[in-house]
């Protein structure tokens, strides 16, 4: 893990320094100027004349000496210093994790977690954004953590937190936290330090201070447009919803007051409970929500909120930290689909996570019996396999209960986003794809299965059937697999994991096919006279073949996951459905799908063979790695365990109902 943290740090530094001068450390260069010449901090006059500088006057006073540094040396030193600050931040945060009552985590227990924390910080969006832009937003967070967990003496603690507030005024929200948790000298010292630093800036830069604190209302009007997606505060969310003017201001003030009261009360409660790091994180989340502007590089507080423990069951415990890590690592476009109803959620994912942490998520107190030992997960006893070495991964045990729904939905969505991205990138060019298409056509002619042209033209004489297959091709590719997964999740949790894993393996194998064997479908083969019945006529003289190239990789044809996923649906229904008519109905789906992909000229027949191959390999991998699908219920105390047919109960019966053993 230390090696991974070091590799990530080197990678981030190399990424920043390899960017051209106009795209790296953009905010820092705006302030200091290239070669120390024409930056905001270098020229005489008001810092806020151009509204490029968004820091406090005290921050401008501190950064003034940087204007004398050479641009290249400053860039290297600044990036390296930021990485060192991130490492210190991770170490301090881990040291503050709650351990057994009454104190924090012991030094020996904290050391293995430090590289994990540093790695998570390195890949987070706030740190990556701060490194790229040269922002100083890591410093206030580090000063608060050092003041709360590293220094001795409440006055010294208050000095550090007050310095952080002078750089980022919303840090003043930590004053009530300190006051109501009995650290009143620290609260007074924080206030005095902030006032002193601000007064110092007033003395040296009175006009700048007036502009920042009065004209721009503590910097609220500086920087980019407040209704932009980068502003993840309540103010930004209300503006994106179309509210403006006095109504928006009144609503923002009311919501900010409510969030502040609720969030700080929860933070005080968890601080008194001994979870001071969680209390600090919740206070930071309140600061993110109620600040007029909360840019991406200022959202580091949200990542710290992952230390909270939510859920009494072992299966639910990883859900909250996983959600926080995903939100702070991936953009909202990856986490949620581009659907109109979800657009407000998609645009405000970090803000919603901060609000959930500050006001909603019921974190466990340390006095809870489940704080350190959650309710264990019930595992089924696997059936003996046909081969002695199966399963290859004996720790991959079958769980009788359902997985956490929120975590499952996020993993599926992120997995599909990654699949779509890789599929779009997996292309070797038109010439290669068409050459592979001619090879496939030749193989099919040799095998006498080249029926695509005949089927494609024959369907033109039966308009209603052609319309049916066009509709089937476009509609049921996603609906049916998602419906099956939903039914299995509710009714047969054990079978859900088996089926979901097989589908995941099949999709991964399909991506390998897309990457190593790009293939032009029949409809994109010049000179073969195929009719594109779904997308309409394509301009084969255009290398991009029209607008569809912008949304999907049209050469991702081998294997056909259209048919592969439908075959997966048919197999799952045939295996788990209790009645014969259900099994037959389920097997009609792959039959209709293979007809649809051929008559619409979207796939070759061998593409369907490839789809069947990867699905079969997916089920085989699940068998080899995890063992047979069937399970036995764990032996209860007392009477003999229930069986099915005198031996083991099938997976469907074992996992039906509530998912718990009867």
């Amino acid at each position: 893990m230390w090696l991974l943290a070091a590799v990530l740090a080197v990678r981030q530094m190399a990424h920043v320094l390899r960017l051209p001068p106009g795209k790296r450390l953009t905010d820092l260069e705006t302030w200091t100027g290239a070669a120390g010449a024409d930056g905001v901090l270098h020229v005489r006059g008001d810092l806020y004349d151009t509204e490029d500088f968004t820091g406090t006057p005290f921050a401008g006073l501190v950064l003034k000496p940087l204007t004398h540094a050479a641009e290249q040396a400053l860039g290297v030193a600044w990036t390296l210093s930021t990485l060192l600050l991130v490492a210190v931040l991770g170490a301090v945060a881990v040291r503050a994790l709650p351990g057994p009552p009454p104190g924090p985590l012991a030094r020996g227990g904290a050391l293995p977690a430090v590289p994990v924390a540093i790695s998570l910080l390195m890949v987070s969006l706030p740190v990556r954004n701060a490194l790229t832009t040269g922002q100083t937003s890591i410093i206030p967070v580090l000063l608060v953590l050092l003041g709360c967990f590293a220094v001795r003496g409440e006055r010294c603690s208050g000095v550090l937190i007050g310095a952080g507030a002078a750089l980022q005024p919303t840090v003043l929200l930590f004053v009530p936290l300190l006051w109501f948790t009995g650290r009143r000298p620290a609260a007074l010292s924080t206030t005095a330090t902030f006032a002193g630093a601000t007064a110092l800036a007033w003395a040296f830069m009175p006009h700048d201070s007036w502009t920042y604190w009065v004209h721009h209302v503590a910097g609220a009007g500086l920087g980019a447009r407040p209704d932009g997606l980068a502003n993840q505060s309540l103010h930004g969310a209300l503006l994106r919803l179309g509210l403006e003017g006095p109504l928006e201001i009144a609503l923002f003030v009311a919501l900010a007051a409510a969030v502040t009261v609720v969030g700080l009360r929860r933070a005080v409660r968890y601080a008194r409970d001994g979870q001071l790091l969680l209390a600090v994180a919740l206070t930071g989340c309140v600061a993110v929500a109620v600040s007029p502007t909360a840019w991406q590089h200022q959202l580091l507080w949200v990542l710290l909120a992952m230390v909270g423990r939510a859920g009494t069951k072992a299966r639910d415990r990883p859900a909250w930290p996983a959600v926080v890590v995903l939100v702070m690592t991936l953009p909202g476009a990856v986490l949620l689909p581009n659907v109109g109803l979800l657009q407000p959620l998609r645009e405000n994912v970090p803000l919603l996570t901060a609000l959930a942490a500050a006001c909603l998520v019921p974190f466990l107190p340390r006095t809870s019996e489940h704080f350190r030992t959650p309710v264990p997960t019930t595992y089924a006893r696997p059936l003996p396999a046909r081969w002695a070495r199966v399963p290859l991964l004996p720790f991959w045990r079958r769980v009788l209960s359902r997985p956490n729904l929120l975590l499952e939905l996020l993993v599926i969505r992120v997995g599909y986003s990654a699949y779509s991205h890789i599929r779009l990138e997996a292309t070797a060019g038109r010439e290669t794809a068409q050459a592979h298409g001619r090879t496939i056509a030749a193989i099919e002619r040799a095998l006498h299965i080249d029926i695509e042209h005949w089927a494609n033209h024959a369907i033109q004489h039966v308009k209603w059937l052609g319309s049916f297959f066009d509709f089937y091709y476009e509609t049921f590719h996603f609906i049916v697999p998602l419906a099956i997964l939903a039914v299995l999740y509710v009714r047969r949790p054990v079978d859900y994991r088996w089926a979901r894993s097989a589908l995941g393996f099949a999709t991964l194998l399909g991506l390998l096919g897309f990457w190593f064997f790009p293939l032009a479908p029949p409809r994109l083969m010049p000179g073969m006279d195929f009719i594109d019945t779904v997308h309409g006529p394509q301009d084969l003289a255009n290398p991009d073949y029209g607008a569809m190239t912008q949304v999907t990789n049209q050469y991702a044809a081998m294997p056909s996951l259209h048919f592969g996923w439908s075959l997966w649906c048919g197999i799952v229904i045939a295996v788990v459905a209790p009645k014969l008519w259900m099994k037959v109905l389920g097997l009609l789906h792959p039959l209709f799908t293979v007809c649809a992909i051929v008559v619409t000229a979207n796939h070759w027949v061998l593409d369907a063979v490839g789809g069947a191959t990867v699905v079969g390999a997916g089920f085989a991998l699940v068998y080899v790695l995890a063992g047979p699908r069937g399970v036995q219920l764990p032996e209860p105390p007392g009477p003999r365990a229930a069986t099915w047919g005198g031996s083991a109960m099938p997976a469907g019966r074992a996992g039906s109902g509530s998912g718990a053993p009867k």
Side-chain angles (χ1 to χ4, degrees), residues 500-541:
R500 179 252 283 145
S501 301
L503 181 63
F505 282 132
T507 304
L508 287 176
L509 294 173
L511 286 177
L512 293 178
F514 300 157
W515 192 272
F516 291 107
F517 195 79
L519 174 65
R523 63 184 176 85
L524 296 183
M525 290 296 294
M528 291 192 176
D529 193 29
F530 283 99
I531 301 171
D532 190 343
T533 63
V534 176
H535 308 108
Q538 296 284 330
D539 180 10
L540 300 186

Side-chain angles (χ1 to χ4, degrees), residues 52-365:
D52 289 327
F53 184 71
T54 58
T56 63
F58 179 74
L61 188 64
V62 172
L63 293 172
K64 275 280 188 181
L66 297 181
T67 58
H68 301 290
E71 187 271 336
Q72 185 64 32
L74 176 59
V76 175
W78 186 272
T79 305
L80 182 59
S81 300
T82 303
L83 291 174
L84 291 176
L85 292 179
V86 171
V88 175
L89 180 64
V92 175
V94 168
R95 185 66 182 87
L97 288 173
L105 195 64
R107 188 178 302 274
L111 185 61
V114 172
V116 178
I118 295 175
S119 299
L120 290 176
L121 289 169
M122 290 293 179
V123 300
S124 67
L125 290 172
V127 169
R128 282 151 50 193
N129 185 263
L131 284 168
T132 303
T133 60
Q135 276 284 351
T136 61
S137 51
I138 295 174
I139 298 176
V141 179
L142 180 59
L143 289 174
V144 170
L145 292 186
L146 289 174
C148 291
F149 304 110
V151 301
R152 295 183 179 181
E154 294 196 12
R155 287 183 174 80
C156 293
S157 172
V159 169
L160 291 177
I161 300 173
L167 296 173
Q168 187 175 320
T170 51
V171 173
L172 284 175
L173 285 171
F174 284 90
V175 172
L177 175 67
L178 296 171
W179 185 271
F180 290 111
T181 53
R183 304 180 65 179
R184 298 188 176 183
L188 295 174
S189 180
T190 298
T191 306
T193 303
F194 168 77
T198 304
L200 183 65
W202 272 92
F204 283 93
M205 298 182 293
H207 188 262
D208 291 327
S209 298
W210 173 268
T211 303
Y212 180 86
W213 291 107
V214 180
H215 180 69
H216 287 296
V217 192
L222 297 172
R225 289 175 56 90
D227 59 350
L229 293 180
N231 181 15
Q232 288 295 311
S233 69
L234 283 170
H235 178 52
L238 293 175
L239 291 175
R240 286 190 289 274
L241 289 175
L243 299 176
E244 57 183 13
L247 176 61
E248 187 275 330
I249 295 175
L251 186 57
F252 168 61
V253 171
L255 290 175
V259 170
T260 301
V261 172
V262 174
L264 288 181
R265 289 187 64 179
R266 281 165 49 89
V268 169
R269 183 167 71 249
Y270 288 116
R272 290 173 176 170
D273 183 59
Q275 301 184 67
L276 185 54
L277 180 59
L278 177 59
V280 168
L282 298 190
T283 307
C285 289
V286 172
V288 167
V290 305
S291 174
T293 55
W295 309 115
Q296 189 178 71
H297 54 82
Q298 297 172 327
L299 303 180
L300 205 51
W301 301 109
V302 183
L303 183 61
L304 296 178
M306 67 175 291
V307 301
R309 302 186 186 186
T312 59
K313 298 179 180 178
R315 69 182 179 91
D316 296 327
R317 187 60 62 83
W320 171 250
V323 167
V324 174
V325 170
L326 289 174
V327 169
M328 286 292 100
T329 306
L330 302 173
V334 174
L335 298 173
L336 292 174
N338 189 15
V339 179
L341 291 176
L342 297 179
Q343 198 66 22
L345 302 179
R346 200 168 184 249
E347 294 176 346
N348 301 289
V349 171
L351 169 63
L352 294 175
T353 307
L355 290 174
C359 304
L360 297 176
V361 179
F363 299 112
L364 294 176

Side-chain angles (χ1 to χ4, degrees), residues 402-405 408 484-493 496:
R402 300 180 186 90
N404 182 273
L405 180 59
E408 198 71 12
I484 290 175
L485 287 173
V487 171
L488 292 178
Y489 181 87
V490 175
R491 300 298 301 274
R492 297 173 179 263
Y496 169 80

